[in-house]
Amino acid sequence: MRLRSMQLIFIAGLMGLLSWIWTPTALALTQIKLSNISYHECPSELASGIVGSSGSNSASCFIVTGKAENSTRKTVYDADIFGRIYDANGDSTLQNRTRLGLIAEVPPGVSDFEFRITVPSNQPLPLQLKQFKAAGFSGRVRR
């Protein structure tokens, strides 16, 4: 009985030691710094026929652009963009929604990004873009 417990302790210790020496690569969440955030109206071919979420209200189309800084040495994939967008009165344009878009790939260094949003056309301009950030993965995420 004593020998069996010693074997079990030895095997557990060996497994613990091996897990420190060899570990598989993790798909850790990587933070991406966003800067120079701005927006402009969509080209007419993208904006035609857009309606709001209620189905009958008209909506305005905008392209949000900026710079994404990946300070790691690896490409980051599937980076979700989070932020808040307010109208000229300080009212939220996208109620209960902070995930705004996706950047498919962010190479090391600084790169450009853009994504499209639609807001109800009755919200006064200019839009206020606040608290933008992004986070992605160091490897491809299976979809």
Side-chain angles (χ1 to χ4, degrees), residues 4-143:
R4 181 167 222 134
S5 62
M6 291 299 286
Q7 287 176 336
L8 188 61
I9 291 172
F10 176 75
I11 291 172
L14 184 63
M15 288 176 61
L17 182 63
L18 287 176
S19 70
W20 278 20
I21 295 171
W22 179 81
T23 56
T25 55
L27 296 177
L29 205 56
T30 304
Q31 299 298 317
I32 302 295
K33 184 178 177 183
L34 302 180
S35 60
N36 298 346
I37 310 294
S38 63
Y39 72 95
H40 60 274
E41 290 189 27
C42 292
S44 59
E45 61 270 6
L46 284 177
S48 63
I50 293 179
V51 294
S53 60
S54 65
S56 61
N57 296 338
S58 65
S60 299
C61 175
F62 297 100
I63 303 287
V64 177
T65 61
K67 302 275 185 193
E69 181 182 346
N70 177 1
S71 58
T72 68
R73 294 183 182 154
K74 293 184 177 183
T75 299
V76 173
Y77 299 96
D78 302 322
D80 289 317
I81 300 170
F82 300 93
R84 302 232 181 238
I85 301 177
Y86 300 99
D87 66 12
N89 297 330
D91 296 324
S92 179
T93 60
L94 304 169
Q95 294 289 329
N96 301 321
R97 186 173 153 199
T98 58
R99 184 190 175 279
L100 303 173
L102 175 87
I103 307 172
E105 289 185 17
V106 184
V110 178
S111 57
D112 296 324
F113 73 91
E114 69 177 27
F115 63 93
R116 187 183 78 149
I117 60 168
T118 55
V119 298
S121 59
N122 63 350
Q123 296 207 260
L125 299 177
L127 298 177
Q128 301 171 39
L129 309 174
K130 297 185 177 187
Q131 300 173 341
F132 271 68
K133 62 182 178 179
F137 298 93
S138 58
R140 291 233 183 251
V141 177
R142 192 171 10 154
R143 292 184 187 189

